Amino acid sequence: MTIFKFDIEPVAQARPRAARIGNSIRMYDPKKTANFKTDLRMMAQIAARGKHYKLLDGGLDVSINVFRPIPKSWSLKKRTEAASGLILPTTKPDISNYIKSIEDALNGVLWHDDNATVDIHGKKRYAETGYLTVEIKKIEVSNNENILQHLCE
């Protein structure tokens, strides 16, 4: 198991934009999303080199924890409750949109492709400053799981 922490405010995957180029249409990420992915990718490359991390083959179990900054407009009481986990970030954007942008940014850096992720876990919480953590485990399939898998087919 390998855990990475990135001190960057998470940005959720936004709807792609479209631009007409001649007779074709080109889809692209909005600037904020594209910048986040580029910055996270660079941070992950540096972190992976520092840990002598090798890309894993096979199925992966990935846990992504997103920590959104507590709104500055909130009262001290509400900020304290949010920091202690008593108030959860139940507003948009969804955790699934955060996961998508993070997975896309880390393709080729922490995993070959996000299609190798067969188990995924996500959390969205508040913190004083925004950051995210990514935990990666290679799934070791036992013979019992192989037998069970064949029986279910």
Side-chain angles (χ1 to χ4, degrees):
M1 168 181 42
T2 306
I3 300 173
F4 293 92
K5 179 183 178 197
F6 301 105
D7 292 319
I8 183 173
E9 187 171 331
V11 175
Q13 179 67 45
R15 296 211 183 275
R17 305 297 190 252
R20 181 178 298 275
I21 300 175
N23 290 334
S24 62
I25 295 177
R26 179 181 166 267
M27 303 299 285
Y28 63 94
D29 281 332
K31 187 173 184 145
K32 185 175 179 182
T33 305
N35 289 345
F36 167 75
K37 288 180 181 182
T38 301
D39 293 347
L40 179 58
R41 181 178 194 78
M42 288 190 321
M43 293 172 81
Q45 288 169 336
I46 293 166
R49 259 190 306 250
K51 290 187 177 198
H52 304 290
Y53 178 78
K54 302 280 187 229
L55 292 177
L56 301 174
D57 291 323
L60 301 177
D61 181 349
V62 177
S63 295
I64 295 175
N65 298 311
V66 171
F67 295 88
R68 295 180 55 186
I70 300 169
K72 303 227 183 284
S73 61
W74 285 6
S75 67
L76 180 60
K77 179 184 179 207
K78 195 170 180 181
R79 291 176 62 82
T80 304
E81 289 173 344
S84 65
L86 296 175
I87 298 176
L88 299 174
T90 56
T91 59
K92 288 187 177 192
D94 306 346
I95 185 66
S96 59
N97 292 330
Y98 282 112
I99 288 171
K100 183 64 184 151
S101 68
I102 294 165
E103 281 184 322
D104 288 350
L106 301 178
N107 273 343
V109 180
L110 299 186
W111 41 73
H112 291 287
D113 192 88
D114 56 358
N115 62 9
T117 302
V118 295
D119 289 344
I120 188 133
H121 313 275
K123 287 184 183 176
K124 181 174 68 165
R125 300 290 189 267
Y126 283 120
E128 289 300 321
T129 60
Y131 70 96
L132 62 100
T133 63
V134 179
E135 180 181 317
I136 308 161
K137 290 187 273 189
K138 181 178 172 133
I139 296 179
E140 301 295 337
V141 180
S142 69
N143 282 339
N144 290 341
E145 286 181 60
N146 282 334
I147 292 168
L148 192 62
Q149 201 171 26
H150 289 312
L151 290 174
C152 293
E153 292 177 347

